[in-house]
Amino acid sequence: MEVLIVGDAPAAGVLVAEIIAQHVQPGVSLGLATGSSPLPVYRELIERHARGELSFAGVRAFTLDEYVGLPRSHPESYHSVIRRELTDQVDLDRVDAPDGQATDIPAEAARFEAAIVEAGGIDVQLLGIGTDGHIGFNEPGSSLASRTRVKTLTQQTRDDNARFFDSVDDVPHHVLTQGLGTILDARHLVLIATGSSKAGAVAAAVEGPVSAFCPASVLQLHPHATVVVDEPAAAQLRLADYYRFAAENKPDWQRF
Ligand code: GLP
């Protein structure tokens, strides 16, 4: 795992956008995340596209998760969010997402898994992290081998996400999410975490035991995981100075 510490959230966004841009070429499949953390990444990708420096022609995208029961037309469905924040603003029109309104949820989960396989797998998966250590919507207790399925949100996650709704009561209890095993199948994982509220979860994910209690700790099992954090989110990392030294002295031949 590579841990890259930068000054603030905008800098984290630019760095992660650079990592993703290095993957972008026809035939590639991107894994996209929602939440606030990826927004600076998407802004940077959109700006590069607007300047004519980056094209998503021939690129496919898959989202991580979706609320169960929320109509796709709802402004806070992840189907709507990812279009609004990224794909409608660039030349990326092949976006697949789990359908949280499917009448047969297990069949929809199986369809989504098969679509990822049919696309040749996900080349680079962008991830945020919840304050309780979730990635996608894999809450604590998620099997480290899990596939796309329904999960029940913790109250902590519903409280965290209430800011996107009129009230916490409007935040759905159930979600459809790529499993931790699904996420591990992507060829490169890039996690972005910014702000002091993420410091505990980041430390548990990077330096704690690999455990379903902190689902993001599953990144420790992946051969190519990059964690980009700003200073406040890095505050509880015990090996922060080592990560800084390694990044500053990175050999030229070593890629992200
Ligand atoms: C949601 C999403 C996650 C995201 C998390 C953190 O729960 N399902 O994919 O990582 O929120 O969001 P934020 O970046 O807004 O803190």
Side-chain angles (χ1 to χ4, degrees):
M1 180 184 295
E2 181 172 34
V3 181
L4 300 169
I5 302 172
V6 297
D8 53 21
V14 170
L15 177 54
V16 172
E18 171 60 22
I19 295 170
I20 290 176
Q22 288 183 9
H23 284 275
V24 170
Q25 58 175 305
V28 152
S29 290
L30 304 179
L32 302 176
T34 45
S36 306
S37 309
L39 296 181
V41 180
Y42 296 153
R43 276 194 288 273
E44 175 70 14
L45 291 174
I46 291 163
E47 282 175 20
R48 288 182 183 213
H49 173 72
R51 290 197 299 265
E53 298 167 8
L54 187 64
S55 169
F56 293 86
V59 171
R60 294 184 63 169
F62 293 89
T63 60
L64 271 172
D65 45 16
E66 183 57 282
Y67 292 108
V68 166
L70 213 59
R72 283 191 153 178
S73 56
H74 189 288
E76 293 309 325
S77 78
Y78 286 170
H79 183 268
S80 297
V81 170
I82 208 67
R83 278 161 182 75
R84 185 169 68 239
E85 302 295 353
L86 179 65
T87 60
D88 282 354
Q89 302 189 58
V90 298
D91 53 341
L92 207 178
D93 45 19
R94 294 190 77 189
V95 187
D96 198 343
D99 180 1
Q101 273 209 311
T103 46
D104 185 342
I105 291 283
E108 170 58 8
R111 179 207 66 77
F112 185 66
E113 288 274 338
I116 293 173
V117 171
E118 181 269 327
I122 291 173
D123 292 284
V124 56
Q125 175 66 59
L126 179 58
L127 299 164
I129 185 170
T131 56
D132 62 2
H134 73 246
I135 52 176
F137 267 136
N138 292 280
E139 295 285 32
S142 292
S143 160
L144 302 183
S146 49
R147 312 303 305 186
T148 302
R149 74 224 180 283
V150 166
K151 287 296 290 182
T152 305
L153 294 183
T154 62
Q155 190 56 40
Q156 184 175 332
T157 297
R158 293 184 68 242
D159 289 341
D160 286 346
N161 288 3
R163 67 190 191 279
F164 298 114
F165 294 84
D166 290 338
S167 114
V168 67
D169 297 332
D170 295 335
V171 183
H173 283 274
H174 294 102
V175 292
L176 192 48
T177 181
Q178 283 190 33
L180 296 173
T182 317
I183 291 169
L184 281 181
D185 283 347
R187 287 182 268 279
H188 185 185
L189 303 181
V190 183
L191 186 146
I192 180 169
T194 54
S196 57
S197 68
K198 301 294 175 67
V202 166
V206 173
E207 297 177 340
V210 175
S211 161
F213 189 73
C214 177
S217 65
V218 79
L219 264 69
Q220 295 178 38
L221 297 176
H222 196 281
H224 192 188
T226 307
V227 175
V228 178
V229 288
D230 69 356
E231 290 288 352
Q236 293 181 35
L237 289 172
R238 285 175 292 177
L239 296 181
D241 287 344
Y242 168 66
Y243 307 139
R244 287 193 187 92
F245 180 88
E248 283 162 14
N249 294 281
K250 192 166 160 166
D252 290 342
W253 47 262
Q254 194 178 15
R255 64 197 176 117
F256 280 120

